[in-house]
Amino acid sequence: MDTSSKENIQLFCKTSVQPVGRPSFKTEYPSSEEKQPCCGELKVFLGALSFVYFAKALAEGYLKSTITQIERRFDIPSSLVGVIDGSFEIGNLLVITFVSYFGAKLHRPKIIGAGCLIMGVGTLLIAMPQFFMEQYKYEIYSPSSNSTLSISPCLLESSSQLPVSVMEKSKSKIRIISLLAAVPFWYLPKSLPRSQSREDSNSSSEKSKFIRDDHTDYQTPQGENAKIMEMARDFLPSLKNLFGNPVYFLYLCTSTVQFNSLFGMVTYKPKYIEQQYGQSSSRANFVIGLINIPAVALGIFSGGIAMKKFRISVCGAAKLYLGSSVFGYLLFLSLFALGCENSDVAGLTVSYQGTKPVSYHERALFSDCNSRCKCSETKWEPMCGENGITYVSACLAGCQTSNRSGKNIIFYNCTCVGIAASKSGNSSGIVGRCQKDNGCPQMFLYFLVISVITSYTLSLGGIPGYILLLRCIKPQLKSFALGIYTLSIRVLAGIPAPVYFGVLIDTSCLKWGFKRCGSRGSCRLYDSNVFRHIYLGLTVILGTVSIFLSIAVLSILKKNYVSKHRSFITKRERTMVSTRFQKENCTTSDHLLQPKYWPGKETQL
């Protein structure tokens, strides 16, 4: 006999000795003094766990925001940046399965605390290169440090002037907090007492409609001296039980495909904003942190409130999860129409005459207007001509002289700029890329609005999907099921998605940079149209596949619900018929056993 049965028997014995008509208020309604320790510990646990998630999100969010800076700092392509971003998940793979399985049987708060300590050490290791590597240097064109002397860019290019070394001004501040989050977990008990009156009979009966029973005993060994081998004995049967659950398996596939879409989209969203709408890296990350992240948090919170307020069932949670995905990806389709055209770059997107687009070829960077200058075709030092066309360098623009006034560098007598402007004389230009067309800032505002609504809509189904995951499995397998779920998401989505997104994005590159050693570096200019179709297209395709899988999950839930409901009704009808038959038999037998006449029948009324 297990412990819960003994407690129930004792509870029954205590309540049965009460006088008739006098309820046992001590048993049914615990006093507030008995509840207070449990509630206090629960609040501490929730607060500490929330702080852990905050620290984890801060570390991951910071890493995502530095994707473009890492690409430029080390001069690497997007595919390699995707490998670096995906490697963030590799460390979890070594322990997540065993921790999720044994963690449910051991001291969970201390295991969480140990994980926080390891996570804190890991974030410190990520920041270590900032202190041990040399300071960041990048190449900019500058005729002199603080003079206004006029120098010819063509001659400077041919004389192989060394670039100016500029120190990175930004300094990282290390806190990233996970070490502090580990402290409260070491003082929490192994488990919190559960009140019998808080058991939800509705969810238990609803859960029984979708969980298959078998004859395997998954009870956790009692006592502190339980052997690890005794726990490991049920590992494979537990794993078989999880993957034998069709609802869990299909939801696992659905989430894996959807998170491929979301991980790829989030990883390269700052780069997309930079390349598509001409925004700076700092502005792109600022907008994402200011608008998108609060929308996601509000969506998750709204989904949880809806589940609690309306007491949504498992089928209802699946419908809400499916509806949020369908509506969110339909909104995402509208982003295809909110793109900006390619920047006018001489020799890459337009000809030097500025009349027609050209196909990319290295020799297209040279023209008659810059034939007298010995220019490098590997350097990327963009210059904006007064005709609105960007040139790869001042040398390739045919500029004869330059002048620096403060922080601005102005080039004069640029022969290529004069040809494109259809002027008889030469023209000028300044350092940097030209701004995109006038309609691009407005498109960027529309993009932000649609992006916020899409983020809120997709995150609205987060909590319903999580509840669906928990209600379709056995209680003793919840921790293990969540571990397998997290492992699958990280292995099949968190690691590969940034990699193949980056590989496909690199195919839209128009101008590659080169390192000092001569090998290919990071991409300097992308084809905006190709980039948009690859980035948005991959996200929508993966989202559509996840929608079809969600429909399959809902179909299985409805099928199981109908079959279980019918079997329940049939069993109930049989019970009612059997009870009625027994009552009739009892009445008939009593009537037959009763004698028709007995002494004194006439006198006893």
Side-chain angles (χ1 to χ4, degrees), residues 11-12 14-16 18-19 21-32 34-35 195-199:
L11 179 63
F12 176 77
K14 290 181 181 179
T15 56
S16 62
Q18 298 294 333
R22 184 177 299 174
S24 177
F25 295 99
K26 183 177 180 180
T27 304
E28 295 181 0
Y29 304 100
S31 61
S32 59
E34 295 177 354
K35 278 186 172 183
S195 176
Q196 187 69 22
S197 61
R198 296 180 63 88
E199 292 292 334

Side-chain angles (χ1 to χ4, degrees), residues 90-153:
I90 294 178
N92 299 282
L93 309 181
L94 304 176
V95 295
I96 190 170
T97 303
F98 301 100
V99 169
S100 62
Y101 180 72
F102 293 105
K105 308 173 187 299
L106 301 175
H107 201 295
R108 277 179 280 191
K110 289 186 177 180
I111 292 178
I112 297 175
C116 293
L117 291 177
I118 296 175
M119 186 171 65
V121 174
T123 53
L124 291 177
L125 290 177
I126 294 176
M128 292 303 287
Q130 175 67 21
F131 301 98
F132 291 101
M133 295 185 64
E134 62 180 2
Q135 292 183 336
Y136 177 39
K137 301 177 181 179
Y138 59 94
E139 295 181 356
I140 61 171
Y141 175 82
S142 178
S144 58
S145 59
N146 53 6
S147 66
T148 58
L149 181 64
S150 298
I151 303 177
S152 172

Side-chain angles (χ1 to χ4, degrees), residues 141 152-154 157 369-370 373 375 379-384 391-402 409-417 429-431:
Y141 175 82
S152 172
C154 293
E157 291 285 351
C369 60
N370 56 24
C373 298
C375 305
K379 288 188 177 181
W380 174 257
E381 298 172 351
M383 186 210 78
C384 178
Y391 297 85
V392 175
S393 65
C395 179
L396 290 173
C399 299
Q400 303 298 321
T401 58
S402 64
I409 302 176
I410 304 176
F411 302 96
Y412 298 100
N413 300 325
C414 303
T415 56
C416 296
V417 177
I430 59 175
V431 170

Side-chain angles (χ1 to χ4, degrees), residues 104-105 216-220 473-480:
K105 308 173 187 299
T216 306
D217 184 16
Y218 293 96
Q219 290 294 332
T220 322
I473 55 179
K474 295 183 177 182
Q476 60 267 25
L477 295 178
K478 284 184 179 180
S479 297
F480 188 43

Side-chain angles (χ1 to χ4, degrees), residues 207-319:
K207 204 182 299 179
S208 63
K209 296 184 177 70
F210 309 105
I211 299 177
R212 294 181 177 181
D213 293 329
D214 53 18
H215 300 287
T216 306
D217 184 16
Y218 293 96
Q219 290 294 332
T220 322
Q222 300 293 331
E224 296 293 336
N225 297 325
K227 301 294 184 181
I228 299 297
M229 294 302 298
E230 295 178 1
M231 301 178 187
R233 183 174 55 190
D234 292 333
F235 182 82
L236 291 180
S238 301
L239 188 64
K240 181 180 179 181
N241 184 272
L242 283 180
F243 286 103
N245 188 332
V247 178
Y248 176 81
F249 181 75
L250 275 177
Y251 179 75
L252 186 65
C253 296
T254 303
S255 300
T256 302
V257 176
Q258 187 179 39
F259 273 101
N260 269 273
S261 170
L262 297 179
F263 280 146
M265 177 187 68
V266 172
T267 301
Y268 294 101
K269 194 169 188 177
K271 175 186 281 292
Y272 180 78
I273 293 177
E274 292 179 37
Q275 297 294 329
Q276 192 68 215
Y277 302 103
Q279 303 294 323
S280 63
S281 177
S282 59
R283 181 176 175 83
N285 289 296
F286 177 76
V287 168
I288 292 175
L290 183 65
I291 299 178
N292 286 92
I293 294 180
V296 172
L298 182 61
I300 295 175
F301 184 76
S302 301
I305 292 296
M307 290 292 297
K308 182 179 180 180
K309 183 176 180 61
F310 300 104
R311 298 183 179 273
I312 300 176
S313 62
V314 176
C315 288
K319 292 178 181 178

